[in-house]
């Protein structure tokens, strides 16, 4: 049995019971929270391996919960969303969610997604080598999630850092938005490529004119690259 702990956050007790039943049958330990404040408290108290987080919650909504948890923790978060809220997908990614599942969902799919996200996050932990790329006046360290420009640490959300690390690790290689969604976010965001644009725009604000030797370039009609002269 794996005994990984899953925090289920939903104000609908039927959904909680259903998820609880399936997850325990699959060998997971579960903790249930029914509102946003409890979710933040339980995330700290129980250090779960993964959080299933509904968006429409009493007290604090899922976005606020995600924001609070991301201040102190990189615990994988899967958002549960009502059908077809595209705006949510983008915001969820921005706030550091790892995946999302639309309701009504199939419990087998939920378990498959949970396992995929957990696998990704533990694969990341296993490689103990330090992951860092350096260029003139720029250092991107993926091991401790630090971006330094001119020797100063710049506060950067995890996904922005992973994105620039991915591009800078493969200098001059052009990536389409879909490739970046797939390789950095690790799942298909239904071709919602605006999220990549938003992240690139924010990275540009941090990295504009830092050095003559490299830049984040848009390749019109294709995607992006980290250009090194």
């Amino acid at each position: 049995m794996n005994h990984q702990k899953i925090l289920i956050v939903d104000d609908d007790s039927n959904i909680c019971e259903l998820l609880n039943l399936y997850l325990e049958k699959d060998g997971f330990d579960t903790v249930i929270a029914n509102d946003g404040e409890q979710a933040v408290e339980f995330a700290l108290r129980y250090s779960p391996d993964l959080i299933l987080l509904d968006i429409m919650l009493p007290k604090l909504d899922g976005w606020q919960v995600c924001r609070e948890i991301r201040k102190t923790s990189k615990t994988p978060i899967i958002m549960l969303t009502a059908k077809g809220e595209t705006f949510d997908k983008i915001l969820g990614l921005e706030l550091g969610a790892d995946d999302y599942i639309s309701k009504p969902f199939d419990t087998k799919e939920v378990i498959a997604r949970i396992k995929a996200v957990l696998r990704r996050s533990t694969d990341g932990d296993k490689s103990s080598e330090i992951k860092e790329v350096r260029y003139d006046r720029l250092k991107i360290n993926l091991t401790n999630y630090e971006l330094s420009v001119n020797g100063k640490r710049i506060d950067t959300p995890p996904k922005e850092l992973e994105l620039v690390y991915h591009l800078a690790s493969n200098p001059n290689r052009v990536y389409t938005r879909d490739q970046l969604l797939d390789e950095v976010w690790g799942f298909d965001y239904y071709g919602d490529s605006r999220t990549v644009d938003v992240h690139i725009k924010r990275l540009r604000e941090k990295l504009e004119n830092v050095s003559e030797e490299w830049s984040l370039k848009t390749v019109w009609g294709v995607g992006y690259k980290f250009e090194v002269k």
Side-chain angles (χ1 to χ4, degrees), residues 48-83:
D49 295 287
L50 181 138
I51 300 169
L52 282 174
L53 177 60
D54 187 38
I55 289 170
M56 302 307 285
L57 290 168
K59 297 189 181 170
L60 295 174
D61 67 21
W63 306 128
Q64 293 166 299
V65 172
C66 195
R67 219 177 252 128
E68 277 307 305
I69 289 170
R70 277 288 169 267
K71 284 179 187 168
T72 54
S73 153
K74 295 197 179 84
T75 306
I77 294 175
I78 298 181
M79 307 288 273
L80 301 174
T81 75
K83 260 222 160 332

Side-chain angles (χ1 to χ4, degrees), residues 74-174:
K74 295 197 179 84
T75 306
I77 294 175
I78 298 181
M79 307 288 273
L80 301 174
T81 75
K83 260 222 160 332
E85 299 168 320
T86 41
F87 164 67
D88 289 352
K89 294 185 285 195
I90 295 209
L91 185 59
L93 279 175
E94 302 262 287
L95 294 178
D98 295 81
D99 202 346
Y100 75 96
I101 297 170
S102 302
K103 296 177 179 179
F105 47 71
D106 172 52
T107 34
K108 284 200 284 294
E109 186 202 357
V110 175
I111 290 189
R113 293 281 193 102
I114 286 173
K115 288 180 172 168
V117 169
L118 283 170
R119 206 167 39 242
R120 283 208 305 276
S121 68
T122 51
D123 285 352
D125 296 343
K126 278 197 200 96
S127 52
S128 56
E129 67 195 299
I130 292 183
K131 295 181 171 172
E132 186 173 273
V133 287
R134 289 169 180 247
Y135 290 97
D136 178 47
R137 300 183 191 168
L138 176 69
K139 185 171 82 178
I140 308 161
N141 183 311
L142 199 58
T143 308
N144 51 15
Y145 278 77
E146 287 186 357
L147 176 76
S148 305
V149 171
N150 288 321
K152 275 210 294 285
R153 196 177 151 182
I154 306 280
D155 208 24
T156 309
K159 280 298 171 225
E160 272 179 44
L161 201 116
E162 286 168 26
L163 177 59
V164 70
Y165 178 86
H166 191 70
L167 289 165
S169 304
N170 301 281
N172 298 326
R173 180 177 157 191
V174 179

Side-chain angles (χ1 to χ4, degrees), residues 151-226:
K152 275 210 294 285
R153 196 177 151 182
I154 306 280
D155 208 24
T156 309
K159 280 298 171 225
E160 272 179 44
L161 201 116
E162 286 168 26
L163 177 59
V164 70
Y165 178 86
H166 191 70
L167 289 165
S169 304
N170 301 281
N172 298 326
R173 180 177 157 191
V174 179
Y175 286 91
T176 67
R177 292 171 176 82
D178 283 347
Q179 279 173 324
L180 290 169
L181 279 175
D182 194 46
E183 291 169 29
V184 176
W185 278 269
F187 53 96
D188 176 19
Y189 240 84
Y190 303 135
D192 214 335
S193 56
R194 283 173 307 164
T195 189
V196 177
D197 302 339
V198 172
H199 281 68
I200 292 276
K201 183 168 156 279
R202 292 188 177 170
L203 282 165
R204 281 222 173 98
E205 287 162 10
K206 293 170 182 148
L207 303 176
E208 205 71 272
N209 303 323
V210 170
S211 166
E212 298 284 301
E213 294 177 24
W214 51 266
S215 61
L216 268 180
K217 275 275 195 301
T218 302
V219 182
W220 292 108
V222 188
Y224 298 103
K225 68 174 174 175
F226 186 89

